[in-house]
Amino acid sequence: MPMGTETQDPQRPRSGGVVSPGLERCFLFDAVEESYEITGITGRVPEWLRGSYYVNGPARFERAGHRYNHWLDGDGMVCALRIAEQGIQFTSRFVETRKLQEEEAAGRFLFRAFGTAFPGDRLRRNLMLEPPVNVSVYPFAGTLLAFGEQTLPMELDPATLETRGDFDFHGKLNDVSPFAAHPKFDPATGHLINFGISYAAKQPMLHVYEFDEGGSLVRRSRHPVELPHSNHDFGLAARHCVFFLSPLLMDFDRFWREGVSVMESLRWEPERGSRILVVPREAKAGQAFTIPAGQGYCLHLINCFEEGPLLTMDILELEAPVYAEYQPIPDLFQTVRPCRPVRYRIDLESRKLAERLPMDYDRTPDFPAIDPCLVSRGYTDFWMLGISASGAPGRKFFDQLAHGSWRKGDVRDLYQTPAGEYLGGEPIYAANPNARGEGVVIVEHLKARNDESAFLLFDAFAIKRGPIARLPLRHRIHPGFHASWSATPLPAPSQSRL
Ligand SMILES: [Fe+2]
């Protein structure tokens, strides 16, 4: 077998126990590139909701009879909603990476992927994956950037979503610069802050970058880390960047010499423990330091903020890494362990953990989102997707939209889909510009039974009442990863410069 898994009958369940009906229909189909005005909207779209929603995610898992193993392997596709007075325009387009272009021309997979290696597979400069740029998408510096893991973002036309090329921040980064898929945007300045980890054999190094609102480099710092952590996300506070470094370690020796996938090169060593790394945003603000933080695993943070000497770091904490649950496509999350929101409070003066406050909600939530205006600031509300069957055997997927509140101490507001219906994409929060504390949450809705896809709008503070509007699409879309919202409407596609 040359790679991945050969295409099988997608109807045949490959796992016992709970079998989420139709899940294969959410992953295994040809995604379409489209642009049209959405018709048949039911419910009510608030008058004040004007702007652009974007979501990125993997959307191609098969080629020439071969299937990728892993959810992270698929080629990135960005979907956009342009919500204007005249109506709502949907647009979808693949990110035209070098990987996609060369594989389109060859008619087969050519490059090693995160969870799929095969004989003769290729790497970028024999060094790293040729990224599918499928993780996130954000408006920044007057343009739109699609992010992959540990690589330069790609610039897209904000209206047509056509790919313009690598975005190198005015020549400050290059195509092997480590650069994560989870930039943070400081609401006070509009600056973009991000990190990357370079895995030199002797001394892994964490790089922290800050760019101004035009994309010019403001500062860059380097911090040695003890172990080659696989780290996906970080938190931004007013004066610090904060990392939850779990003992999921990358063995590059295996990756380079044995030709295995990233997935096969990762080792989970819980006995080493997790550490919180606190890095001052400005060098003059002091030294970076770490503190022990149990043995959990964190893929995504919710938010961080400072109050005097107290630093709060809110994360979604799993008992073990989740990447092994992203395979094999489409039988995901078969043995996924519980995950819950956890608040850590750190005393910056004593450099000790002051408090750890877990929530009870443990339905393996992921893709946490908050009001973007509250990044790095005190906040209470957040939204995330959850898996109702977490803990039961068999494949499963996100089917809950959960609204957590630190003030209430848990999830008290939740929407559960009917059986065979799933939710996808970070549930992004769009604030009412005329009324603080009022907002809408936008999320993908995937009805596996009859191949329907839509976007759902919820009143952010009354999720349990169900969607306030449903925006049906003409075709299926894949479950997305991360989303963003810009209150500035896109230019209409006809006004695009491409
Ligand atoms: Fe992520």
Side-chain angles (χ1 to χ4, degrees), residues 135 182 232 300 482:
V135 180
H182 276 288
H232 178 69
H300 291 122
H482 295 286

Side-chain angles (χ1 to χ4, degrees), residues 135-136 149 181-182 232-233 299-300 366-367 481-482:
V135 180
S136 60
E149 192 67 48
H182 276 288
H232 178 69
D233 194 7
L299 185 66
H300 291 122
D366 202 1
F367 303 110
F481 285 153
H482 295 286

Side-chain angles (χ1 to χ4, degrees), residues 156-477:
L156 311 182
D157 182 301
T160 65
L161 304 181
E162 286 169 291
T163 302
R164 293 173 175 164
D166 285 335
F167 188 83
D168 65 4
F169 295 87
H170 308 301
K172 294 297 184 191
L173 300 179
N174 63 49
D175 68 354
V176 291
S177 299
F179 205 64
H182 276 288
K184 297 289 179 286
F185 300 90
D186 186 335
T189 60
H191 287 195
L192 181 158
I193 298 95
N194 200 5
F195 78 99
I197 297 180
S198 53
Y199 297 95
K202 287 194 176 148
Q203 182 68 80
M205 196 69 75
L206 184 136
H207 306 253
V208 178
Y209 314 87
E210 183 161 345
F211 299 94
D212 71 15
E213 67 278 18
S216 296
L217 187 66
V218 174
R219 60 178 73 94
R220 176 177 185 166
S221 59
R222 302 191 326 152
H223 308 273
V225 285
E226 193 185 337
L227 299 168
H229 296 276
S230 164
N231 191 69
H232 178 69
D233 194 7
F234 79 110
L236 181 73
R239 294 177 293 129
H240 297 89
C241 294
V242 196
F243 300 82
F244 194 93
L245 298 178
S246 312
L248 180 65
L249 306 179
M250 180 65 194
D251 184 346
F252 268 99
D253 223 37
R254 283 207 72 201
F255 180 72
W256 287 319
R257 290 191 192 176
E258 297 179 27
V260 299
S261 68
V262 173
M263 193 62 226
E264 294 164 295
S265 308
L266 292 170
R267 299 190 313 265
W268 174 239
E269 300 185 1
E271 65 281 1
R272 290 180 181 270
S274 298
R275 298 191 79 81
I276 295 171
L277 168 63
V278 181
V279 176
R281 283 173 64 176
E282 294 190 39
K284 63 185 180 192
Q287 289 288 313
F289 64 92
T290 69
I291 56 173
Q295 294 184 317
Y297 174 77
C298 171
L299 185 66
H300 291 122
L301 291 88
I302 306 170
N303 196 18
C304 291
F305 61 94
E306 294 167 39
E307 296 163 301
L310 213 54
L311 170 66
T312 297
M313 175 195 215
D314 297 333
I315 70 170
L316 295 181
E317 189 173 308
L318 290 124
E319 294 176 3
V322 73
Y323 286 147
E325 305 292 336
Y326 285 7
Q327 62 184 22
I329 293 290
D331 300 337
L332 306 192
F333 297 116
Q334 291 186 52
T335 58
V336 78
R337 309 266 290 272
C339 170
R340 64 185 80 215
V342 179
R343 168 161 280 184
Y344 284 90
R345 287 192 189 274
I346 299 148
D347 186 327
L348 291 168
E349 286 172 356
S350 67
R351 297 185 170 184
K352 288 193 170 141
L353 193 59
E355 205 171 13
R356 179 181 180 276
L357 299 164
M359 284 189 176
D360 287 339
Y361 181 77
D362 67 352
R363 299 292 84 195
T364 312
D366 202 1
F367 303 110
I370 63 168
D371 180 345
C373 293
L374 299 176
V375 169
S376 77
R377 298 174 177 182
Y379 78 110
T380 187
D381 298 285
F382 59 100
W383 295 266
M384 56 201 166
L385 302 184
I387 301 173
S388 63
S390 173
R395 71 178 187 177
K396 53 193 87 72
F397 201 67
F398 298 104
D399 59 357
Q400 293 187 341
L401 173 59
H403 166 204
S405 162
W406 294 107
R407 188 179 300 124
K408 293 177 180 170
D410 206 355
V411 169
R412 301 267 184 257
D413 185 20
L414 183 137
Y415 172 74
Q416 171 71 55
T417 66
E421 298 183 20
Y422 305 101
L423 300 173
E426 176 185 331
I428 204 70
Y429 178 88
N432 182 346
N434 311 314
R436 290 298 314 162
E438 206 176 281
V440 156
V441 165
I442 306 173
V443 69
E444 293 175 359
H445 183 215
L446 314 164
K447 260 186 181 175
R449 249 190 331 271
N450 43 6
D451 296 341
E452 284 179 17
S453 294
F455 288 92
L456 299 181
L457 272 49
F458 290 81
D459 176 340
F461 298 93
I463 297 293
K464 61 183 160 198
R465 286 188 205 152
I468 58 169
R470 184 171 188 274
L471 319 179
L473 303 180
R474 296 177 183 170
H475 46 79
R476 283 182 276 178
I477 55 170

